[in-house]
Amino acid sequence: MSYCMIKGYKIILVISLIVVLKLSFNYHQILLQSFKPQILQIYSKHNVAFRDFYESNTKYISEEKDMEINQIFDTISNNISSVPFRHLNLATSAKMSRAKILSYRQQYCNGDSLTVRVDMFNYLGQRKTYGGDFLTARIYSTDLGAAASGRVEDFNNGSYNIHFILSWVGNVKISVILYHPSEGVSALWRARNAGYKNIIFTGNFLYKTQEIEKVCGFYLESQQEKCVYADKRDGEFFYCIKPPNVPCEALISMRSKIHHHSYLTKSEKTIFTRSNIGVEIPRDPGSIAVTNCQRNFTDVKPKCRIGMPVPYPSGYFLNNLWHSNFCNLSSFEPLSQINECLTGKLIYLMGDSTLRQWIEYFQKHMKSLKFFNLPGHGIHTKYLALDMDRNIYIQWKKHGHPFVSPGIYSVKDCAYIAREIDGLPGSPNTIIVITLGQHFRGFPLHLFIRRLLSVRKAIERIFQRSPETKIFIKLENSRDINTDVERISDFHGYIQYLLFKDLFKRLNVGIIDAWEMTQAFASYNLHPPETVIRNQINMFLSYIC
């Protein structure tokens, strides 16, 4: 791709992100000091040692790629609230805020739009005059197994409109949740990008009769000799303290632990007590009646095809089955044809344990698909399932650093997804499914941006040698509400979700919107229940069956 094309894409990316993000975040400006890679400037504010540490390796890193990473980061940062925290009483309070239906009617028709107005107040009952709160919203009918997400529109003055599509008949309840106030959003964004100390890795070296543990990570302050595990082409670096008289190649396994460290101030932490996270905003009324108004129109959707743009909201649950708003998924259930559909296919699942759930589902529901017992131990080892009669090959493999787990996992089968894609020849029967996100939440966003750009380049390369290879992006899902907000808050996941969608929207890939599904379903679990997994796979199959 030429420099002009890259430059043109950057301009389009900046414009589209501002529209697509819709994050409800206030504008603030970050002054650029020079064209020196921005990551150095950001971290030098917090840690001069990191700057020097990073600079020692920049000779391997493309300055052009760094500039692209920094531009993407700045675009996101300029749309995130920058509100100094003064006192909890001045922060947004869910219980003091109000949600009401605009143009309320006694009865609505199936297919109508519904808009809910949300006005924010602080704990003192004072009207908020700025936006930037992290809100989630859904409509649902529990008895019907029905639910859908809402699109949040921020007016940057303390008011929001939330837009829903009414897609089923019955009594529909409304839920609007203040996940984090704008003051919390601002604190989390600053804290996330302050450094790498929140999660510590321990590497296990095995050499002859010695077994030695050493600290590992993306940035090590120690002046001891270090092992450098580098992907110089993509600018990926990971380090371990080198054991004396032991080669770096002796590293065999890894585990991680949460470090009792925080970039949040003591006063900022008061925003993130459990009672202040994910709080329902009062609604009036809390539900509406939707009927079938016998309108004379036929909504004929095209067949689901890879490369189709995915709107938001993109679908809804009814009878616990996901129905697409943009393609013909609901006329039949592809899962009923799963064996025939996957015959002769080579399926590579690359990512975290939320994608490992897919191979476990395949093996559970395809009776002739059997796991092949590969060497290794623990749940994070590579999974391989085979159907010899139908010539079906399905593999799950974890992504490269960071992989956050208290359990020991092998690093010998650990590779970055871009390299995994480069190792495949591709073919019309090759299917690659990728997910990234959960393990990146506790690290500065620059790391995630770099990884996505590397994966995007790898996808472009495989399309050049095999245009008929089918590639899917399973977007990150929401997870449980937890007070460990610096490492796992859904706010971090939402930023990554929007970024992933935007960076890959021009590629000929299929999108499985796991975020929207889990938000609508309100699963609140890192590993969604089987109902959600089944619908993710059903959507996946609808593209290829």
Side-chain angles (χ1 to χ4, degrees):
M1 184 180 292
S2 70
Y3 179 80
C4 292
M5 291 174 66
I6 293 172
K7 186 176 181 181
Y9 172 75
K10 291 174 183 174
I11 295 171
I12 295 172
L13 176 63
V14 171
I15 295 172
S16 61
L17 267 175
I18 292 173
V19 175
V20 174
L21 284 176
K22 300 279 187 186
L23 282 177
S24 327
F25 302 129
N26 283 342
Y27 178 86
H28 73 283
Q29 183 66 39
I30 294 178
L31 295 176
L32 299 178
Q33 299 176 7
S34 68
F35 258 176
K36 191 176 182 179
Q38 184 75 12
I39 189 169
L40 305 183
Q41 300 170 19
I42 291 169
Y43 287 109
S44 65
K45 297 175 183 177
H46 306 284
N47 196 323
V48 174
F50 180 86
R51 178 190 61 201
D52 298 334
F53 184 74
Y54 182 89
E55 283 179 333
S56 67
N57 292 298
T58 53
K59 62 183 179 180
Y60 300 120
I61 303 174
S62 164
E63 184 174 330
E64 185 174 309
K65 186 173 184 179
D66 274 352
M67 289 174 62
E68 184 175 12
I69 291 169
N70 299 330
Q71 288 182 357
I72 293 169
F73 179 88
D74 290 342
T75 299
I76 297 171
S77 190
N78 289 340
N79 285 276
I80 291 180
S81 174
S82 180
V83 183
F85 179 76
R86 291 176 289 172
H87 193 279
L88 181 62
N89 285 341
L90 300 178
T92 311
S93 165
K95 293 182 179 179
M96 298 297 290
S97 301
R98 293 292 179 267
K100 64 177 181 180
I101 297 173
L102 295 183
S103 304
Y104 173 75
R105 307 196 302 268
Q106 291 293 323
Q107 182 174 293
Y108 292 82
C109 295
N110 186 11
D112 281 352
S113 296
L114 179 73
T115 302
V116 175
R117 179 64 170 257
V118 182
D119 294 311
M120 297 305 217
F121 295 81
N122 64 24
Y123 285 84
L124 299 177
Q126 299 167 337
R127 184 81 156 76
K128 294 295 290 288
T129 58
Y130 50 87
D133 302 292
F134 179 38
L135 300 172
T136 63
R138 62 189 289 259
I139 51 176
Y140 62 99
S141 301
T142 304
D143 57 328
L144 300 175
S149 296
R151 179 176 61 84
V152 179
E153 179 184 11
D154 184 3
F155 295 107
N156 294 313
N157 60 3
S159 292
Y160 303 81
N161 277 354
I162 302 177
H163 305 277
F164 298 99
I165 300 173
L166 302 176
S167 301
W168 63 89
V169 173
N171 183 262
V172 177
K173 295 181 179 180
I174 304 164
S175 172
V176 181
I177 289 176
L178 174 63
Y179 203 100
H180 294 310
S182 52
E183 294 79 7
V185 164
S186 181
L188 282 179
W189 179 247
R190 177 193 54 76
R192 174 177 185 172
N193 295 294
Y196 288 87
K197 294 183 179 180
N198 284 334
I199 297 172
I200 294 178
F201 294 90
T202 301
N204 184 37
F205 290 79
L206 182 61
Y207 184 63
K208 297 181 180 179
T209 60
Q210 300 182 77
E211 191 165 342
I212 306 166
E213 290 187 344
K214 289 293 181 180
V215 174
C216 302
F218 293 97
Y219 166 56
L220 301 178
E221 290 182 326
S222 172
Q223 298 303 308
Q224 300 179 62
E225 184 181 2
K226 301 175 183 68
C227 291
V228 181
Y229 302 99
D231 185 328
K232 297 175 183 178
R233 182 197 68 185
D234 293 335
E236 301 278 8
F237 294 87
F238 193 79
Y239 306 87
C240 290
I241 300 298
K242 186 180 184 301
N245 304 314
V246 173
C248 293
E249 293 77 10
L251 179 67
I252 61 167
S253 62
M254 191 81 62
R255 71 177 189 274
S256 65
K257 66 177 181 179
I258 302 303
H259 188 202
H260 295 295
H261 174 276
S262 177
Y263 291 104
L264 295 170
T265 66
K266 185 177 181 179
S267 59
E268 286 172 339
K269 291 178 182 179
T270 61
I271 309 174
F272 302 111
T273 59
R274 179 60 187 89
S275 60
N276 291 332
I277 304 173
V279 182
E280 193 89 24
I281 294 176
R283 305 158 310 283
D284 184 24
S287 64
I288 58 171
V290 180
T291 63
N292 193 343
C293 299
Q294 302 296 327
R295 291 174 174 170
N296 294 320
F297 68 88
T298 303
D299 184 14
V300 179
K301 301 184 183 74
K303 182 185 184 302
C304 298
R305 298 189 310 274
I306 291 175
M308 296 179 78
V310 180
Y312 194 97
S314 67
Y316 59 96
F317 282 102
L318 181 59
N319 297 319
N320 288 324
L321 180 66
W322 183 257
H323 297 255
S324 172
N325 285 336
F326 66 96
C327 67
N328 188 6
L329 173 64
S330 57
S331 61
F332 73 103
E333 189 172 3
L335 277 168
S336 63
Q337 305 174 15
I338 188 169
N339 288 309
E340 294 75 12
C341 180
L342 298 185
T343 295
K345 299 295 190 296
L346 305 170
I347 302 175
Y348 298 89
L349 308 175
M350 304 177 182
D352 57 37
S353 56
T354 65
L355 197 51
R356 188 182 65 225
Q357 289 182 275
W358 280 33
I359 195 170
E360 293 168 341
Y361 183 92
F362 285 133
Q363 193 275 333
K364 179 179 178 180
H365 293 275
M366 299 170 67
K367 301 306 180 184
S368 57
L369 188 71
K370 305 298 181 184
F371 279 129
F372 186 83
N373 188 20
L374 294 168
H377 63 277
I379 61 173
H380 301 310
T381 190
K382 183 167 71 173
Y383 282 41
L384 177 61
L386 303 171
D387 183 333
M388 303 300 290
D389 295 331
R390 294 184 174 87
N391 198 29
I392 300 173
Y393 176 104
I394 305 177
Q395 173 189 292
W396 173 82
K397 193 173 181 182
K398 64 181 178 292
H399 61 68
H401 308 302
F403 198 84
V404 180
S405 171
I408 296 174
Y409 59 88
S410 171
V411 297
K412 291 303 183 183
D413 64 348
C414 187
Y416 296 119
I417 287 179
R419 292 293 183 177
E420 294 282 359
I421 296 172
D422 287 341
L424 297 175
S427 73
N429 286 324
T430 298
I431 301 171
I432 301 171
V433 187
I434 300 164
T435 193
L436 284 168
Q438 296 287 349
H439 294 256
F440 288 79
R441 293 186 179 191
F443 301 94
L445 190 66
H446 279 84
L447 182 68
F448 188 66
I449 298 172
R450 180 179 296 280
R451 192 65 52 83
L452 292 190
L453 293 179
S454 297
V455 171
R456 190 177 69 180
K457 280 290 186 183
I459 291 174
E460 292 170 350
R461 288 191 291 270
I462 197 172
F463 281 158
Q464 288 173 352
R465 62 182 180 270
S466 177
E468 293 181 303
T469 296
K470 298 174 181 64
I471 296 183
F472 293 86
I473 305 298
K474 186 193 80 67
L475 295 166
E476 185 172 352
N477 56 260
S478 59
R479 59 171 300 165
D480 50 299
I481 297 176
N482 193 295
T483 55
D484 190 6
V485 292
E486 285 187 76
R487 297 166 186 85
I488 62 175
S489 170
D490 266 353
F491 164 68
H492 303 315
Y494 185 55
I495 296 294
Q496 295 177 169
Y497 159 76
L498 293 169
L499 178 60
F500 214 144
K501 283 179 68 175
D502 194 79
L503 289 181
F504 287 73
K505 67 184 179 184
R506 287 178 177 80
L507 292 181
N508 189 35
V509 298
I511 299 294
I512 311 298
D513 199 331
W515 181 273
E516 185 181 351
M517 286 188 185
T518 50
Q519 282 287 313
F521 199 82
S523 55
Y524 295 115
N525 196 323
L526 169 61
H527 298 105
E530 185 170 296
T531 298
V532 175
I533 300 302
R534 175 170 60 85
N535 281 284
Q536 291 175 6
I537 293 174
N538 201 45
M539 187 76 199
F540 161 72
L541 294 174
S542 71
Y543 284 104
I544 61 177
C545 293

